Amino acid sequence: IAVAALTFTVWLFFGPAPALTLALVNAVAVLIIACPCAMGLATPTSIMVGTGRAAQMGVLFRQGSALQSLQDTKIIALDKTGTLTEGKPKLTDYVVAEGVDEREALQLQASLEYHSSHPVARALVQAAQELGLELLSVENFQSHTGLGLSGEINGHHIATGSSRFMQEQGLSVDSFAQQARALAQQGKTPMYLCVDNQLRAMMAVSDPIKQGTPETIAALHALGVKVAMISGDNRNTAQAIAQQLGIDEVIAEVLPAQKAEKVKELQKKFGTLTFVGDGINDAPALASADVGIAVGTGTDIAINAADVVLVSGKLTGVV
């Protein structure tokens, strides 16, 4: 800019006519030659070095713009299952209603869950197989996204899922309320089973916190960034996990289709937002966030929707 100003002054006072026109042309010429050259060399070089160094640390930048956006992040929102946790839940508790056979209830539920790919479904099927229970054939199987499953076994209508799903079936879960509250406070997720519109059992699954998660959240707080958790779990379970990890904002009981909407709400409240997720239902949220970070051990859809991929799958890569 100084050289351009000097050029303008010299041409204006010592140049031939039309002095003003020639002074402007030559001053602008200096700017055009100098500035894009510096930008054209410095910017690609810095991006290349930055993304190369990140790759050595197991972080893949799919979009160069993420380098710029990340430094402005005010809040990081994380999916729970498979991101904060291992994504490999295990059946920990099984409580049946009075007069109900526990093995029979688990057999019916596992038979229904066998047709789902959800991690919780796999946990229940594994528990049934460990007890040597034979899985029964299911007719009219239906998956109700974010709520539960339903189908028919030997002429009986079977439904399993969250308390919200039971309420949609016209059932009250108050008979298990005390046990459910106690389990949720331990960070476990309560689920229910009904047969022919009668509540038969309540079970709880626990998903271990992923190694490195507490350290990651502490490091993000040290950077001055707020941390939020978006989960489909009931509020008590989500609050228990958030309290254990020191998470600032908790958004619970979120259906998969609502995740992107919740991301936009957080953006309006806090500003620039980075979302971290791993599942198919995280893809819209990853795309809606200012920066989407996918856990590399997650689904291909999530990875394709993200700007940054943690190749190792370790949450510490976020920091």
Side-chain angles (χ1 to χ4, degrees), residues 7 36-37 155-156:
T7 303
C37 182
H156 297 285

Side-chain angles (χ1 to χ4, degrees), residues 88-93 102-103 106-107 110 114 121-135:
K88 298 174 182 177
K90 291 184 178 179
L91 180 65
T92 57
D93 302 85
E102 184 176 328
R103 287 175 64 88
L106 182 57
Q107 182 184 33
Y114 180 75
R122 291 198 294 268
L124 286 160
V125 172
Q126 183 181 348
Q129 290 173 339
E130 287 174 357
L131 291 173
L133 299 176
E134 181 186 355
L135 299 182

Side-chain angles (χ1 to χ4, degrees), residues 26 50 59 72 87 124 166 202 223 235 237 267 275 305 307:
N26 285 290
V59 179
D72 300 321
L124 286 160
M166 293 298 109
M202 181 199 71
L223 291 172
R235 191 162 301 281
T237 302
Q267 282 174 315
F275 181 81
D307 305 300

